[in-house]
Amino acid sequence: MSGKWLDTSIKGFLLDITGVCYDSAGNSGIPIEGSIEAIKLLRQAKIPFRFCSNESTASRVHLARKLGEIGFDIKAEEITCPAPVAAQLLRERGLRPFFLVKDEVLEEFEGINSTNANCVVMGDAQENFSYENVNRAFSVLINSPTPILISMGCGRYYKETDGLKIDVGAYCKGLEYACGIKAEFVGKPDPKYFLSALEQLKISPANCVMIGDDVAGDCGAAQKAGMRALLVRTGKYRPEDERRTDVQPDGVVDNLLQAVQAFLDFKNAKAE
Amino acid sequence: MPNRTLLAGENAENSAPVMKADLKHLLPAFRALHKHTRMTRFCMALIDLSGTLHVDDQAQPGAVAAIDRLRQSGIPLRFVTNTTKESKRLIHQRLLNMGFHIKIDEIFTSLTAARKILEAKKWRPWFIVSDEAMEDFDGLPTENPNAVVIGLAPEKLNHENMNKAFDMIFNQGAHLVAIHKSRYYQTKHGLALGPGAFVTGLEYATDTKAQVVGKPDAAFFLSAIPGSLCTHKLNEIVMIGDDIRDDVGGALKAGLSAILVRTGKYKAGDEAKIEPSHPTFIANDIVEAVNYILEDEL
């Protein structure tokens, strides 16, 4: 591991969840080795950090509970997720969505009228991505004079414990193609999304490091938002991710714990 | 008048009386023949099925008679379809049940074209294809598959199968074969999603390009044209369909002429979707399209 990303300007971290903290497995999951401890160490050292995820299979409360059940100490209010951003967008524009999502995320959209839909909001709906459901979303879009498709993330795939899984981006691109439209994306890699997470942390991009397992969606995107980015060799990571010429992370670490330890060692050495 | 052989361009009326009588005798047959060759400037017609001749099990009004009239002109007809839901035999049976006079050998489906490609490349397929269509793939080797073949199979286009396809392509390097890539099609309940959305999704997730078999691929149109017609100019072959991109755009790109019918999946404004090219003719339905080919009064 190279330590060239380390310097005294680092004040905090944004952490991806899936593939960095844990590998998902349906309604449960398995912590990635060292990640529970890494988060403990950050808390003990009082380093500001926040979770910046494209997780759209569940609400923040649901996700925090799921992570709690497998040993993490993570609060719902520490998580930036696309669903609340999408909900805010629907309220601002008075849109009535058809939801192509999992039921577990719906509580983020409470109070939003979804009768007589005039737009589609999609997330990682997993088993709800049946032909019938995708076709219903298609019907809303193709029969609308001004079709609006809002997608929570545009990921290609992610890691579950039993292998890589196709992500919401695939179905979103499919609907774009069928309807001849462009979706609006909420979540990473939108720089505004990273910045909204940083606002909560009250630190500027130049003082923050993003840690993720998606070399483009986490690392490249965070760099575009003015941050540094570390790639972890966990989750969906593949060795070829380090050989890409279009995106180059500021550092590559074996896992989250290695990054946190390197940072704390560096900080302690400077303090001595 | 000297008795001699007629020269080219010389009028038989001025020749020997015996010849004049012979010609009169042949006139009805000559007129019939003449009528056939004069009636249309096209030497062949390719015709789409779903949305153009029928929707579900309902023939379009006047479609059966229109095809009969077109057939009487003597030009060969081929029916080219991206229907992937059922085998050629079942499609043929359905057309007969609707009253169409169509021979099974006149039907070219993207399923049979896909089979030819799998055989030629010696690929071993795994299918996301409707059970009703599977008989067109009988006998192909499927053990240890190295190609994902995807068609319109609502009951099989689900997340589990999409994940399996993704794994085969992304992790095991399998090929992706799209029986076609249609965006949507017309049903009696309205427009429904075609397999194109799912093919596009797999292409995006795996960062690969599918081999697309059916319309609008030029090779598919050309495969339906008999070798004996190859001497004709391609633009004397006309395609009729309701899909501006797959039928009309594809045929024009292959060098054929193309008529867009405003039935089936047609939506107002479709004409402009293939700019800068333009349909050879835009007809309200198959009847008007046939009238145009036969140069009748519209």
Side-chain angles (χ1 to χ4, degrees), chain A residues 56-189:
Chain A
S56 61
T57 58
S59 67
R60 288 165 295 174
V61 169
H62 203 281
L63 181 59
R65 194 189 311 133
K66 176 175 157 181
L67 290 165
E69 281 165 8
I70 59 170
F72 283 97
D73 168 26
I74 293 175
K75 292 175 212 49
E77 55 271 25
E78 292 176 317
I79 303 172
T80 291
C81 262
V85 184
Q88 183 57 26
L89 197 145
L90 293 171
R91 285 188 203 100
E92 282 167 12
R93 288 157 65 178
L95 293 168
R96 300 181 308 275
F98 169 81
F99 289 110
L100 184 53
V101 298
K102 288 194 71 164
D103 293 346
E104 288 85 344
V105 77
L106 282 174
E107 66 180 321
E108 298 280 12
F109 295 93
E110 258 174 28
I112 289 171
N113 177 9
S114 61
T115 55
N116 189 20
N118 61 3
C119 76
V120 169
V121 170
M122 67 190 300
D124 181 12
Q126 297 180 333
E127 67 276 9
N128 282 351
F129 281 129
S130 61
Y131 176 85
E132 193 190 347
N133 285 340
V134 182
N135 190 42
R136 285 174 69 193
F138 165 78
S139 291
V140 170
L141 295 169
I142 202 75
N143 292 316
S144 165
T146 51
I148 297 170
L149 172 60
I150 297 165
S151 184
M152 296 186 277
C154 58
R156 294 165 193 268
Y157 56 88
Y158 60 95
K159 168 96 180 287
E160 286 223 324
T161 50
D162 60 343
L164 297 179
K165 294 293 151 80
I166 199 164
D167 199 0
V168 57
Y171 296 95
C172 177
K173 292 292 166 185
L175 282 171
E176 283 190 337
Y177 171 80
C179 304
I181 59 171
K182 286 280 166 208
E184 301 174 33
F185 293 105
V186 176
K188 299 179 281 189

Side-chain angles (χ1 to χ4, degrees), chain B residues 110-112 114-116 118 125 127 129 133-142 149 179:
Chain B
S110 43
L111 282 168
T112 47
R115 182 191 178 110
K116 278 182 198 152
L118 291 169
F127 294 103
V129 171
M134 285 306 296
E135 66 180 83
D136 280 347
F137 295 105
D138 273 355
L140 287 179
T142 54
V149 179
I179 293 173

Side-chain angles (χ1 to χ4, degrees), chain A residues 124 126-127 129-131 134-135 138-139 142 154-157 164-166 169-171 173-175 177-178 238, chain B residues 152 154 157-159 162-163 166 170-171 181 183-185 191-193 196-198 200-202 204-205 207 267:
Chain A
D124 181 12
Q126 297 180 333
E127 67 276 9
F129 281 129
S130 61
Y131 176 85
V134 182
N135 190 42
F138 165 78
S139 291
I142 202 75
C154 58
R156 294 165 193 268
Y157 56 88
L164 297 179
K165 294 293 151 80
I166 199 164
Y171 296 95
K173 292 292 166 185
L175 282 171
Y177 171 80
R238 287 152 57 102
Chain B
L152 181 60
L157 283 167
N158 54 47
H159 193 54
M162 286 288 279
N163 268 326
F166 170 79
F170 195 68
N171 293 324
K181 209 179 163 184
R183 290 163 172 80
Y184 48 81
Y185 68 108
L191 297 179
L193 200 53
F198 296 87
T200 301
L202 284 172
Y204 174 76
D207 200 18
K267 283 163 65 85

Side-chain angles (χ1 to χ4, degrees), chain A residues 147-266:
Chain A
I148 297 170
L149 172 60
I150 297 165
S151 184
M152 296 186 277
C154 58
R156 294 165 193 268
Y157 56 88
Y158 60 95
K159 168 96 180 287
E160 286 223 324
T161 50
D162 60 343
L164 297 179
K165 294 293 151 80
I166 199 164
D167 199 0
V168 57
Y171 296 95
C172 177
K173 292 292 166 185
L175 282 171
E176 283 190 337
Y177 171 80
C179 304
I181 59 171
K182 286 280 166 208
E184 301 174 33
F185 293 105
V186 176
K188 299 179 281 189
D190 185 357
K192 289 199 296 287
Y193 187 72
F194 289 101
L195 297 180
S196 75
L198 285 175
E199 267 172 39
Q200 302 285 320
L201 270 188
K202 298 188 170 51
I203 61 175
S204 68
N207 301 123
C208 188
V209 177
M210 171 77 205
I211 303 179
D213 67 331
D214 185 321
V215 68
D218 289 325
C219 299
Q223 288 169 333
K224 275 184 194 138
M227 303 160 67
R228 267 162 290 179
L230 293 183
L231 178 66
V232 288
R233 294 192 181 102
T234 57
K236 75 170 89 172
Y237 163 86
R238 287 152 57 102
E240 47 266 50
D241 294 340
E242 289 185 54
R243 297 192 287 271
R244 280 174 67 152
T245 50
D246 54 336
V247 260
Q248 278 169 343
D250 297 282
V252 185
V253 291
D254 286 344
N255 53 43
L256 178 62
L257 181 60
Q258 194 182 54
V260 169
Q261 272 172 340
F263 171 71
L264 294 177
D265 288 351
F266 174 81

Side-chain angles (χ1 to χ4, degrees), chain B residues 59-77:
Chain B
Q60 297 281 27
V64 171
I67 296 303
D68 287 345
R69 286 190 62 221
L70 188 57
R71 195 181 286 289
Q72 279 159 20
S73 75
I75 65 170
L77 308 182

